[in-house]
Each structure stands twice: as structure tokens, then as C-alpha cells.
Amino acid sequence: MIRTGMVAASLAAGLAGPAIACPPPPPPAAAPAPPAGTSQADVRALTDAWFQAQRALSYEQERQRTLQQQVGLFDSAGGMVLARLDSEGRTSGYPAEFAYMNNMPLVTMKPVRWVKGAGGAEAFQLSETNPMTCGYGRVDAAVRGRVGDVVLVYLEGAELRQDKVLFVLPVSRIIEPRALALLTKE
């Protein structure tokens, strides 16, 4: 009885703790059992081969998800502009009810070249408007970058305004063929 109460108390304490905002992905399925009589060295080799194949499969699935996201961005973007992170700062001046938005990263972006559509050359600012606990937010490539970094900004149209930004990606993460073709076009 006492043991059951201690287990219940420890479970309740564990459940009362902070929730994990972004749990890690589940581990891959266990390797299939080797045939009877397989040597230990072969069991290790089979297990290693299984997990290497699972890792390759996982990478390919992630690549396909990334490609589909970028296809969707390309298709929905009215404008795409290469922009350089020109300066960094912090947000300020929000009223008390939005005080949590003060002191967030704020960057000034300078357009370098329009690769889809056409728009202005004036500098524009981006900040985190909805901080995420995990994952990759729509302006993270800009607000988490460094001065001098060049990113591709996907826009609803040709206006260089935060509320028109669909997503920002580092050029190194772009795998969508049409976007790559536009980036390499002279």
C-alpha cells in the first residue's frame, strides 16, 4: 500500500512538471532478429546496416518534406528577393500588454537582387512576431543570422514588409530546382 502511494505520488509530481514543448522523434524500429546461429560479429554488422539504412531513409524523408515546403513557397510567392542582413538590434516600445515582444531580435535587411517579381530596393526590418519554442519559424533565418548573411525572402507580392513575408531561408538550404535556377541566372 505504501509502495503504491509512493509510485502514485512520483507519477503526479512528474506530470506536474513542465511539458516538453518539442519531444524528440521516436527512435527507429528495432532491427529484425538475425537468423538463428548468426555470429555476434554478424549480428553487429546486420544491426549497424539496419540503422544506417534507417538513417538514410530518415534523411531522404526529411529532404522530401523540405522540397515540398520549398515547392509550395515558390508557387505561392509573388516575389522573391535575395537580401543581406545589414544590421541587428532589439525591438522596443511595445505597450504593457505586449511587453513580451520587447527585446526580441530585430534585423534590418537590404535587398540585393529580386529573383522573382520586382520590387523596391529600400531596406526593411524583420523581427520575431511569434516566438517559437522549437522548430524553424518563418523569419528565423534572418533574426538568428549574422550581419552579412544573405537569405532568400519569399513574399506574398513585391512589398518589403514583415506582414508580407511568407518565409526566409538561408541560400544554403535551398533545394527547389526553380529557385536554384533563378539564383544562378545572370
Side-chain angles (χ1 to χ4, degrees), residues 27-69:
T38 305
S39 70
Q40 281 301 105
D42 288 346
V43 167
R44 277 192 302 277
L46 287 169
T47 301
D48 287 347
W50 169 263
F51 285 114
Q52 287 175 14
Q54 290 295 313
R55 186 172 37 243
L57 179 61
S58 176
Y59 288 150
E60 180 55 26
Q61 290 169 338
E62 180 59 29
R63 185 186 169 291
Q64 288 300 318
R65 279 190 295 274
T66 298
L67 180 59
Q68 289 307 310
Q69 176 201 31

Side-chain angles (χ1 to χ4, degrees), residues 24-154:
T38 305
S39 70
Q40 281 301 105
D42 288 346
V43 167
R44 277 192 302 277
L46 287 169
T47 301
D48 287 347
W50 169 263
F51 285 114
Q52 287 175 14
Q54 290 295 313
R55 186 172 37 243
L57 179 61
S58 176
Y59 288 150
E60 180 55 26
Q61 290 169 338
E62 180 59 29
R63 185 186 169 291
Q64 288 300 318
R65 279 190 295 274
T66 298
L67 180 59
Q68 289 307 310
Q69 176 201 31
Q70 290 182 19
V71 164
L73 284 169
F74 188 93
D75 291 344
S76 61
M80 293 167 45
V81 63
L82 276 174
R84 178 179 37 83
L85 199 159
D86 200 41
S87 65
E88 298 174 294
R90 293 289 196 187
T91 58
S92 63
Y94 284 94
E97 64 268 18
F98 298 110
Y100 67 93
M101 293 296 295
N102 286 319
N103 205 32
M104 300 286 271
L106 172 72
V107 295
T108 301
M109 305 297 296
K110 176 73 176 130
V112 175
R113 177 172 68 102
W114 284 84
V115 294
K116 182 179 180 186
E122 66 279 358
F124 61 104
Q125 292 186 321
L126 296 176
S127 67
E128 287 184 358
T129 56
N130 188 14
M132 298 181 65
T133 57
C134 67
Y136 198 80
R138 68 184 182 91
V139 297
D140 281 3
V143 299
R144 294 183 184 180
R146 295 187 180 139
V147 171
D149 286 356
V150 177
V151 295
L152 185 59
V153 181
Y154 295 83

Side-chain angles (χ1 to χ4, degrees), residues 155-173:
L155 298 158
E156 285 181 18
E159 291 182 79
L160 294 172
R161 294 189 347 225
Q162 171 133 357
D163 63 334
K164 298 298 181 183
V165 173
L166 298 172
F167 214 82
V168 179
L169 282 175
V171 174
S172 63
R173 289 192 55 206

